[in-house]
């Protein structure tokens, strides 16, 4: 005897099939608001995202802790955290903004920005806000992380938005957004607890727009310096060296409502862009930030194809990987 679905049952099944692919924003659960995702694949083969954590319906960026999320299929995520909190620091009391992470010497490192003071948006000349970069260490990729040096790596210039690149030769490079100090790089010590020498200004080929949130990665011998240009549009440069000179290549993803912050990482043969979106959020009177993901595709010459925001994101990732393994 044939089983006949009622209209409501049919709609339920159809919704389930559709929602299984509707992965933007990513499903972290608990209605947690996240932004500034830093993606990494560690020795256990899982994808880890290290994010900032927006306060519920926050009006401004007074943020207090950092989280991590892990997944083996980019669809089902496990929440870890807080992995580090402002209250764990002696030198900062606010601005738990965009972190990055690294694995070296059998340890996991969280490079994080934090600060003190107040940003007066009405009268900027009265602002006292300052930010610096700290280093926290853990034996586990999910923490808890402990402030390893008890102070920022440096105090001048003001700095946030770290991006760490460990090159094939083991050298560690730290890129960041700084007050009047953009497009600079620091080489880190082997233990990642200090920097070697002075900050170095890089050659950006004559084009240096306002930028925040750099993310640097390497693919097929090409280094990519990507960033939210004017804090909104994702653009990038390429080079044959981690310190440049860099060649500007143009836009990756256009602007949507507010700032963006991202990472680009390869996972199981697929390149993925993690970023955040400003979306209408139940219970909040203004748009809030939520982490999302899209596939990244490259042209034969190594340039990046433009990326559009989608509602499906990487929801078909498990099926893609299954087909690749056939």
């Amino acid at each position: 005897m044939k089983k006949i679905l009622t209209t409501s049952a049919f709609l339920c099944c159809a919704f389930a099939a559709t929602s299984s692919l509707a992965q933007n924003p990513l499903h972290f659960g608990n209605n947690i608001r996240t932004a500034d995702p830093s993606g990494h694949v560690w020795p256990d083969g899982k994808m880890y995202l290290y994010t900032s954590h927006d306060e519920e319906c926050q009006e401004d960026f007074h943020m207090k802790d950092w989280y991590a999320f892990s997944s083996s299929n980019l669809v089902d995520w496990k929440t870890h955290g807080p992995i580090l909190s402002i209250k764990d620091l002696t030198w900062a009391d606010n601005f738990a903004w965009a972190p990055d992470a690294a694995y070296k010497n059998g340890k996991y490192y969280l490079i994080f920005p934090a600060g003190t003071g107040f940003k007066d948006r009405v009268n900027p000349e009265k602002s006292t806000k300052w930010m610096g970069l700290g280093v926290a260490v853990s034996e586990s990729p999910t923490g808890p992380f402990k402030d390893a040096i008890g102070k920022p790596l440096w105090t001048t210039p003001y700095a946030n938005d770290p991006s760490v690149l460990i090159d094939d030769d083991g050298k560690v490079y730290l890129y960041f957004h700084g007050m009047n100090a953009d497009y600079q790089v620091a080489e880190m010590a082997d233990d990642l607890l200090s920097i070697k020498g002075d900050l170095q200004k890089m050659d950006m080929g004559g084009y240096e727009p306002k930028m925040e949130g750099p993310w640097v990665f390497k693919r097929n011998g090409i280094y990519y310096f990507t960033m939210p240009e004017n804090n909104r549009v994702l653009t990038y440069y390429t080079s044959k060296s981690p310190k440049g000179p860099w060649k500007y290549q143009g836009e990756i993803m256009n602007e949507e409502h507010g700032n963006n912050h991202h990472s680009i990482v390869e996972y199981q043969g697929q390149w993925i862009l993690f970023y955040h979106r400003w979306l209408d959020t139940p219970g909040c009177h203004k748009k809030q930030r939520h982490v999302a993901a899209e596939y990244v595709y490259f042209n034969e010459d190594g340039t990046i194809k433009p990326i559009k925001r989608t509602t499906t994101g990487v929801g078909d990732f498990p099926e893609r990987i299954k087909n690749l393994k056939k």
Side-chain angles (χ1 to χ4, degrees):
M1 184 173 69
K2 292 184 179 179
K3 185 176 180 180
I4 300 176
L5 289 176
T6 63
T7 300
S8 60
F10 174 80
L11 291 175
C12 176
C13 293
F15 174 78
T18 302
S19 62
S20 66
L21 294 179
Q23 290 295 322
N24 271 344
L26 297 179
H27 297 171
F28 293 151
N30 300 322
N31 291 322
I32 189 170
R33 316 297 183 211
T34 55
D36 313 318
S38 165
H40 293 275
V41 182
W42 300 137
D44 64 4
K46 294 180 182 178
M47 171 65 73
Y48 288 85
L49 291 181
Y50 297 85
T51 74
S52 59
H53 171 213
D54 288 353
E55 299 291 305
E56 187 69 11
C57 301
Q58 67 181 21
E59 290 291 337
D60 210 332
F61 302 110
H62 301 297
M63 296 146 65
K64 304 302 181 184
D65 50 29
W66 296 268
Y67 273 74
F69 304 89
S70 62
S71 177
S72 296
N73 62 12
L74 305 188
V75 172
D76 302 301
W77 293 89
K78 185 175 181 180
T79 301
H80 312 276
I83 57 172
L84 182 70
S85 300
I86 285 293
K87 61 181 173 48
D88 300 324
L89 310 178
T90 60
W91 53 273
D93 58 14
N94 204 341
F95 310 119
W97 286 8
D100 196 10
Y103 175 76
K104 201 173 194 301
N105 308 320
K107 296 181 180 179
Y108 298 89
Y109 297 82
L110 188 73
I111 314 298
F112 62 92
T116 59
F118 175 73
K119 182 171 184 177
D120 192 325
R121 295 187 180 278
V122 178
N123 300 295
E125 70 280 1
K126 296 182 180 180
S127 292
T128 59
K129 180 180 161 208
W130 167 89
M131 294 187 70
L133 301 179
V135 181
V137 181
S138 176
E139 299 292 330
S140 165
T142 58
F145 284 83
K146 182 178 180 180
D147 186 8
I149 58 178
K151 60 182 180 179
L153 287 166
W154 64 81
T155 56
T156 303
Y158 163 122
N160 58 27
D161 292 353
S163 175
V164 180
L165 172 71
I166 300 181
D167 210 350
D168 299 334
D169 59 4
K171 290 185 178 180
V172 186
Y173 300 93
L174 173 60
Y175 309 84
F176 61 95
H177 162 62
M179 188 67 71
N180 301 317
D182 285 338
Y183 304 108
Q184 295 196 23
V185 61
E187 187 171 339
M188 301 192 77
D190 186 65
D191 62 5
L192 276 73
L193 300 183
S194 62
I195 63 171
K196 295 180 178 179
D198 298 325
L199 303 178
Q200 302 173 55
K201 179 70 169 63
M202 297 185 295
D203 179 356
M204 306 307 294
Y207 183 62
E208 299 182 7
K210 175 176 168 37
M211 58 82 74
E212 294 191 21
W215 177 265
V216 182
F217 68 96
K218 186 179 183 180
R219 176 184 178 271
N220 294 345
I222 300 175
Y223 295 86
Y224 295 78
F225 184 99
T226 68
M227 65 183 190
E229 187 173 320
N230 294 314
N231 203 19
R232 297 290 190 274
V233 181
L234 299 187
T235 61
Y236 74 112
Y237 300 75
T238 57
S239 177
K240 290 293 185 179
S241 163
K243 295 182 180 180
W246 298 93
K247 179 181 179 181
Y248 185 72
Q249 298 287 0
E251 182 177 309
I252 301 173
M253 175 180 276
N254 62 17
E255 178 182 351
E256 181 192 54
H257 307 308
N259 66 29
N260 202 350
H261 195 114
H262 71 294
S263 58
I264 297 175
V265 60
E266 185 180 16
Y267 187 52
Q268 297 189 38
Q270 302 286 306
W271 283 88
I272 310 293
L273 167 73
F274 295 102
Y275 65 108
H276 65 239
R277 301 189 69 178
W278 290 82
L279 302 173
D280 291 327
T281 303
C284 300
H285 70 280
K286 57 181 281 189
K287 294 180 185 295
Q288 301 291 297
R289 298 189 294 178
H290 302 261
V291 168
E294 310 289 354
Y295 291 109
V296 180
Y297 299 100
F298 296 84
N299 295 306
E300 288 188 6
D301 62 359
T303 53
I304 302 174
K305 295 184 178 182
I307 303 169
K308 293 183 178 180
R309 295 170 181 82
T310 68
T311 57
T312 55
V314 295
D316 67 343
F317 185 82
E319 192 64 27
R320 282 195 180 205
I321 298 306
K322 184 188 299 183
N323 290 336
L324 286 175
K325 292 178 179 179
K326 286 182 179 179

